[in-house]
Amino acid sequence: MGKSKEIRQDLRKIIVDLHKSGSSLGAISKCLKVPRSSVQTIVRKYQHHGTTQPSYCSGRRCVLSPRDERTLVRKVQINPRTTAKDLLKRLEEMGTKVSISTVKRVLYRHNLKGLSARKKPLLQNRHKKSLTTVCNCTWGQRSYFLEKCPLV
């Protein structure tokens, strides 16, 4: 379902004035060529809030500003092994107090997940065997390979 057009402020005031003068909702909608449901919503909002201004601030406000988010993302891209606690301390130094889950959520939103590379690749026995055969073929000495190879 598509978003409908916003009704102008002056038209909202006219709708409220006509309602105050005693016109029915159907008559107002026919006269101004506005849907009846829109007229009803505008009148109900005026009776409840006392104003015809549209309320744009729906939902919870963001805790972090876009600038803070960019700072977090930049710090992680420079050093991927940075922990969320370190980032939280940096934000507190800058004057923003947030929870650690907020930091993780922002990083996840920018596709930076909590995965870090292993320090050493996982070698199974078949991998070690194939490496030693390669070594024997090229150098001809197994002991030299085992001394110099950091992977085994």
Side-chain angles (χ1 to χ4, degrees), residues 40-149:
Q40 185 178 5
T41 305
I42 290 168
V43 170
R44 190 183 310 126
K45 187 178 273 188
Y46 179 77
Q47 289 173 344
H48 186 266
H49 296 291
T51 182
T52 58
Q53 290 286 342
S55 58
Y56 291 109
C57 300
S58 62
R60 184 173 173 151
R61 290 191 171 88
C62 295
V63 178
L64 289 176
S65 66
R67 182 178 180 178
D68 292 336
E69 285 191 23
R70 287 193 306 270
T71 305
L72 283 178
V73 171
R74 195 178 319 113
K75 296 292 182 193
V76 172
Q77 286 174 344
I78 290 170
N79 184 9
R81 297 183 70 88
T82 306
T83 62
K85 287 184 180 179
D86 294 340
L87 294 172
L88 186 67
K89 288 178 184 175
R90 287 215 176 138
L91 280 174
E92 287 178 357
E93 290 171 2
M94 290 168 40
T96 308
K97 186 171 181 184
V98 294
S99 67
I100 196 163
S101 60
T102 305
V103 174
K104 289 179 181 178
R105 194 180 313 116
V106 168
L107 295 177
Y108 194 84
R109 195 181 313 136
H110 290 277
N111 208 19
L112 297 168
K113 297 165 177 79
L115 304 173
S116 59
R118 290 184 180 150
K119 294 179 182 176
K120 178 175 157 181
L122 176 64
L123 294 177
Q124 297 175 350
N125 287 333
R126 60 190 170 124
H127 297 132
K128 292 178 185 178
K129 195 178 289 184
S130 67
L131 283 173
T132 55
T133 56
V134 168
C135 174
N136 288 335
C137 293
T138 55
W139 291 320
Q141 295 179 358
R142 181 182 162 93
S143 61
Y144 176 77
F145 174 75
L146 292 176
E147 291 172 5
K148 299 294 180 183
C149 183

Side-chain angles (χ1 to χ4, degrees), residues 7-21 23 28 31-32 39 42-43 52:
I7 296 176
R8 299 185 323 262
Q9 187 63 30
D10 58 341
L11 191 60
R12 288 173 183 261
K13 288 182 181 177
I14 293 170
I15 290 171
V16 170
D17 291 338
L18 287 173
H19 180 72
K20 282 182 181 177
S21 67
S23 299
I28 295 171
C31 175
L32 299 175
V39 172
I42 290 168
V43 170
T52 58

